[in-house]
Amino acid sequence: MARDRGKQCRLCRREGMKLYLKGEKCYKPSCPIEKRGTNPPGQHGPNAKRKSVGGYGEQLREKQRVKRIYNLLETQFRNYFEKAASQKGVTGENLLALLERRLDNVIYRLGFAMSRRQARQFVRHGHVQVNGRKVDIPSFQVKIGDEVAVREKSTDNAHILGSFQTSGGRGRPGWLDIVNPDKLVGRVTALPRREDIDPEIREQLIVELYSK
């Protein structure tokens, strides 16, 4: 499967804000946003002028930003939008709920990984189980009542333990709960609501872009 192997910190500077793509580094002073501010990447650095965007450009930037937050390629993201549009309710909120219910995102939200990229790797490598069965598909959609856990043989993984021990400051959304912190077990107690998701995301711009 194709993956974006480029420098992740450049993506944050391109969007002019932290996207928390590098895990622990994003919370340290070594983060490029902390050191260099939100200057765009490239040879001109702080002297580069940001062009004002509106309409289509603003919609495109928002779509790109959300794609990068959830670490998805264009085809994957478009498929999520089409599924959201076919569901009842508000399309933008449906889209964000589908993205939040991805297994790799749930692992990140529970604090078992420092970033969604790392969470995807944990899932791919077989460190995660859902309802007692190993699941190695990052896009797996969790449901209410699902028990998401680190497999017993992986509970001593230094990266997973380190992330869980430092995840308190990042917060945990209300639709997820830790039911056994010693065995690294969490549960989906509800479906994600709009207030549980990044308030800075402007999903309506994405809907407008894809609806053209």
Side-chain angles (χ1 to χ4, degrees), residues 69-109:
I69 288 174
Y70 289 95
N71 194 25
L72 298 175
L73 299 177
E74 177 61 32
T75 301
Q76 294 172 299
F77 194 80
R78 182 63 186 249
N79 288 340
Y80 277 113
F81 176 81
E82 291 178 354
K83 185 175 181 179
S86 68
Q87 296 177 338
K88 294 181 180 179
V90 181
T91 298
E93 293 184 8
N94 291 342
L95 172 63
L96 295 183
L98 287 171
L99 297 175
E100 282 289 302
R101 288 171 55 202
R102 284 177 55 96
L103 182 57
D104 54 359
N105 179 74
V106 171
I107 292 299
Y108 168 69
R109 292 292 199 188

Side-chain angles (χ1 to χ4, degrees), residues 51-67:
K51 296 180 179 179
S52 59
V53 295
Y56 175 79
E58 189 176 21
Q59 296 164 356
L60 180 62
R61 284 263 52 85
E62 190 64 19
K63 183 202 70 170
Q64 293 294 85
R65 186 165 77 92
V66 176
K67 273 174 52 182

Side-chain angles (χ1 to χ4, degrees), residues 28 97 112-113 128 199:
K28 294 182 175 181
F112 299 156
V128 176

Side-chain angles (χ1 to χ4, degrees), residues 154-179:
S154 303
T155 53
D156 59 351
N157 182 294
H159 296 290
I160 296 175
L161 285 175
S163 175
F164 187 63
Q165 290 168 357
T166 60
S167 63
R170 302 204 303 269
R172 185 177 299 112
W175 59 283
L176 296 174
D177 190 27
I178 296 293
V179 296

